[in-house]
Amino acid sequence: MAQYDVIIVGAGPSGMTASIYAARANMKVLLLDKLAPGGQIINTNEIQNYTGVGTINGAELAYKMYEHTQELNVEFDYRTVVKIEDHGEEKTVICEEDNMQYTTKTVILATGTKQRCLNLPTEEKFRGNGISWCAICDGAQYRDKDVVVIGGGNSAVEESIFLAGIVKSLTIVTMFDLTADPIACDKLRAMDHVKIYPYQDVLEFTGDDKLTGVRFKSTKTGEETTVPCDGVFEYIGLMPTTEYLKDTGLLNDYGYIKVNERMETAIPGIYAAGDCIVKNLRQVITACADGAIAAQEASHYVERLNG
Ligand SMILES: Cc1cc2nc3c(=O)[nH]c(=O)nc-3n(C[C@H](O)[C@H](O)[C@H](O)COP(=O)(O)OP(=O)(O)OC[C@H]3O[C@@H](n4cnc5c(N)ncnc54)[C@H](O)[C@@H]3O)c2cc1C
């Protein structure tokens, strides 16, 4: 007899929303995350585009979502899921901590994405010591200092606007031009201590023990530039957090989970939701919508199992 009706892996916006819908469908729910509930929004200064909310601090929104799960008594635990096993009507969720194993009738995979790295030889040396992927976590260290942001998409531009309010100078180095929302791009361009270098390839992070700068080369003219800086923030895209699913056949060539419009994967009883699935728009509102659909489908599946 399975211990749970549904285990939700990942407590970001999609996983938390799935847990709310599952609890309201009277399912026995377990919500797991290797970190504090909230997912990527915890480390985001301002969340935009969530209907009816306007602009909200990411950690505040995460806390509100978690509170909502607790009003419905959703069971939450800190666990890193390393494997999912399908045994037909029962699935096993295996965790890293103490090799803990849970049994469940259904699983919802909501493990989101993580920031991509440039993989330059000098990058590892300065990881967490000059190079960061989280402006909210590490931005304050660079108050009145010189900072470079790498990337030109929505995350890069939004986090640059946040950093520009703290640092002495901000240089943006990007492979193409800025590709974020036009309103955000205009706001960033209007800031007087911000300089943008479009169409550049980053070649090297300079410095021996301490990061001293970034060297890059124009993809149009071949001209090389080195900008001195105290810190670098990389926002060059995301990759799915789905390593624990390799060899399951559930992933596409880029590691995203393949689902249909009901959030069903190729394995009956296993659903996926949010940023980790194959989709075009990765935002809080779409993650929550996927989570709601996945939970509703999982509850119908359990009803069918129970006859
Ligand atoms: C800098 C930045 C700014 C953004 N700004 C906005 C914005 O303004 N508006 C907007 O709508 N969206 C914004 N987004 C996008 C938004 O944050 C995501 O779309 C949303 O968080 C996706 O939710 P999710 O639940 O699918 O995944 P995530 O938020 O990525 O959550 C996944 C969770 O799964 C957990 N997890 C992963 N692997 C495991 C495992 N093996 N075991 C256990 N737990 C695991 C992680 O710890 C994490 O908590 C922004 C994103 C970034 C990075």
Side-chain angles (χ1 to χ4, degrees), residues 27-229:
M27 297 173 90
K28 187 161 167 31
V29 187
L30 176 63
L31 177 63
L32 299 174
D33 202 299
K34 58 185 176 184
L35 301 171
Q40 288 179 62
I41 62 172
I42 290 189
N43 298 324
T44 305
N45 183 40
E46 285 186 350
I47 292 292
Q48 319 274 353
N49 308 333
Y50 194 45
T51 315
V53 172
T55 298
I56 187 168
N57 174 265
E60 189 185 340
L61 180 59
Y63 187 69
K64 279 176 186 283
M65 287 182 177
Y66 183 64
E67 261 188 339
H68 194 164
T69 71
Q70 294 313 291
E71 281 163 17
L72 293 159
N73 299 316
V74 168
E75 183 181 343
F76 171 79
D77 205 354
Y78 285 95
R79 298 279 171 199
T80 305
V81 172
V82 289
K83 199 172 180 198
I84 311 279
E85 283 176 0
D86 175 40
H87 306 289
E89 294 187 357
E90 198 170 280
K91 326 286 177 203
T92 307
V93 175
I94 303 168
C95 307
E96 189 176 82
E97 298 81 3
D98 308 323
N99 201 26
M100 185 76 176
Q101 303 200 0
Y102 300 98
T103 56
T104 177
K105 292 174 186 164
T106 63
V107 180
I108 298 176
L109 310 167
T111 45
T113 54
K114 59 186 173 202
Q115 298 285 352
R116 199 177 282 283
C117 304
L118 280 168
N119 290 324
L120 290 173
T122 46
E123 191 175 35
E124 218 29 59
K125 184 163 78 169
F126 298 119
R127 175 182 283 272
N129 178 30
I131 302 182
S132 168
W133 285 260
C134 178
I136 298 296
C137 323
D138 302 326
Q141 292 174 31
Y142 299 101
R143 184 170 298 281
D144 300 324
K145 294 193 170 166
D146 301 308
V147 163
V148 171
V149 167
I150 298 173
N154 273 319
S155 298
V157 170
E158 281 166 19
E159 299 311 291
S160 293
I161 292 169
F162 167 73
L163 283 168
I166 300 175
V167 302
K168 183 168 82 186
S169 79
L170 188 72
T171 305
I172 291 136
V173 179
T174 173
M175 202 175 205
F176 303 104
D177 205 345
L178 301 185
T179 55
D181 293 346
I183 293 176
C185 293
D186 290 349
K187 190 170 172 184
L188 186 64
R189 284 197 176 99
M191 293 174 151
D192 54 11
H193 58 315
V194 170
K195 181 154 188 190
I196 300 165
Y197 286 89
Y199 303 103
Q200 303 292 330
D201 249 350
V202 177
L203 303 175
E204 186 191 8
F205 298 109
T206 60
D208 292 327
D209 296 338
K210 188 178 172 298
L211 177 82
T212 56
V214 182
R215 187 165 66 89
F216 48 88
K217 181 178 176 179
S218 166
T219 55
K220 297 220 158 188
T221 64
E223 187 187 346
E224 281 194 21
T225 309
T226 301
V227 170
C229 68

